[in-house]
Amino acid sequence: MESLTIHAIGLVIVVKLLLNPVFCLNKCDFPAIFNLGDSNSDTGGLSAAFGQAPPPNGETFFHIPAGRFSDGRLLIDFISERLGLPYLSPYLDSMGSNFSHGANFATAGSTIRPQNTTISQSGYSPISLDVQFVQYSDFQRRSQIIRKQGFFQNLLPEEDCFSRALYTFDIGQNDLTAGYKLNMSTEQVKAYVPDLLGQFSNVIKYIYARGGRSFWIHDTGPVGCLPYVMDRFLVTAAQIDKYGCASPFNDVARYFNLRLKETVVQLRKELPLSAITHVDVYAVKYYLISHANKLGFEDPFLACCGHGGKYNYNRFNKCGSKKVVNGKEIILAKSCRNPSVRINWDGTHFTEAANKWIFDRIVDGSFSDPPFPLNFACHRTDH
């Protein structure tokens, strides 16, 4: 009887392995990553263009400001680590950059749709997704010309890197809040989501036309759980959900993500050689925020780095802000004592500890469609 039981258990294990779509696949060998996005994945683009993100940004891992709006690593950094690649150099950074294994075109404040405003007026980067694609296209073309001339060969990607690379995207959050800054209603913001995703879709198609095949796309997170949103926009008590997040803003984010998923399905049909992975980052981030204490984190709505206010967030004195006292410059918005138990870094972005927790949930494909782990993202499903 015991041998039969062991045999049955073994048979179940074999069946499960055979049903696992990854079982018969080889791991992907991504030689490079090309990332497009906003501050959730900016490794120094905005800092290179408009001035370095000030200390205490970067303090936990890099120990100095490193172009990231966090105390340490971002999801894109953990993605690079898992694939055995160096951290991505920002395309805009001319100092010490190495593009042999990819480039990062993301900048903090970027949107899918260009904003008719300046960065000083709104905080939105002029380097919207369409501009990032132009930069990518120019980089792809000129890097090969320069390599053939014999210059900087060790600092630029080989030609076949572009077709074998992983293309990562994390953008859309700023497009949603942009409407609210213009006093639009939730329904008005939802109304322009199809246009956003039409423009997003076009960029995927453009990269595909230039040889890109593997795409890893994050949806947008629960913006209604971010301190800067709850501080900036009017939210009534009735609009706060049981976990403390602002429901209208999360409703818009979920609508965006639903339409994004539909867009990905359509892209798979139109781009038959593509491998497109859609990652439900929203679900992971919302679970983290709504179960913070159980997961070993403290108040998820209290910014680690900030100054004053209900959420330790003040948009006029953001993380790293300074003031002069008795002729001496001091940091007004300082870091908290232990960022490792905080989720929110500066009212808008996540701490390294939170980013690591999120990455550990998404890397194995549990929140992906198709449910392939990160290092299998070059494989296609039946379109």
Side-chain angles (χ1 to χ4, degrees), residues 204-247:
I204 299 291
K205 292 176 184 177
Y206 296 153
I207 292 175
Y208 179 87
R210 284 157 179 76
R213 292 295 180 263
S214 302
F215 301 89
W216 179 270
I217 301 171
H218 292 179
D219 64 15
T220 199
V223 294
C225 300
L226 299 177
Y228 93 93
V229 169
M230 294 190 288
D231 177 81
R232 176 73 183 269
F233 305 111
L234 179 64
V235 182
T236 67
Q239 293 174 322
I240 300 296
D241 69 17
K242 64 180 180 179
Y243 297 113
C245 299
S247 295

Side-chain angles (χ1 to χ4, degrees), residues 360-382:
D360 288 342
R361 309 278 102 56
I362 66 174
V363 67
D364 66 355
S366 296
F367 292 86
S368 296
D369 175 26
F372 292 168
L374 172 66
N375 51 12
F376 288 85
C378 63
H379 296 288
R380 299 190 301 274
T381 57
D382 293 331

Side-chain angles (χ1 to χ4, degrees), residues 20-62:
N20 187 331
V22 176
F23 179 70
C24 298
L25 301 176
N26 294 320
K27 287 184 178 181
C28 307
D29 180 22
F30 294 117
I33 299 171
F34 295 102
N35 181 71
L36 295 85
D38 55 27
S39 58
N40 289 309
S41 59
D42 180 6
T43 55
L46 193 79
S47 290
F50 296 101
Q52 190 65 238
N57 286 291
E59 66 174 13
T60 296
F61 183 79
F62 302 100

Side-chain angles (χ1 to χ4, degrees), residues 53-66 68-72 304-306 318-322 331-336 339 345-346:
N57 286 291
E59 66 174 13
T60 296
F61 183 79
F62 302 100
H63 308 300
I64 58 172
R68 294 152 174 82
F69 290 90
S70 177
D71 62 310
C304 172
C305 183
K318 294 183 178 180
C319 180
S321 294
K322 300 176 181 179
I331 295 178
L332 182 65
K334 299 179 181 179
S335 170
C336 60
W345 169 242
D346 58 3

Side-chain angles (χ1 to χ4, degrees), residues 316-346:
F316 301 107
N317 290 299
K318 294 183 178 180
C319 180
S321 294
K322 300 176 181 179
K323 72 173 182 177
V324 177
V325 178
N326 297 325
K328 183 179 180 181
E329 189 177 63
I330 65 169
I331 295 178
L332 182 65
K334 299 179 181 179
S335 170
C336 60
R337 182 173 299 178
N338 188 4
S340 67
V341 295
R342 294 294 187 87
I343 291 174
N344 194 281
W345 169 242
D346 58 3

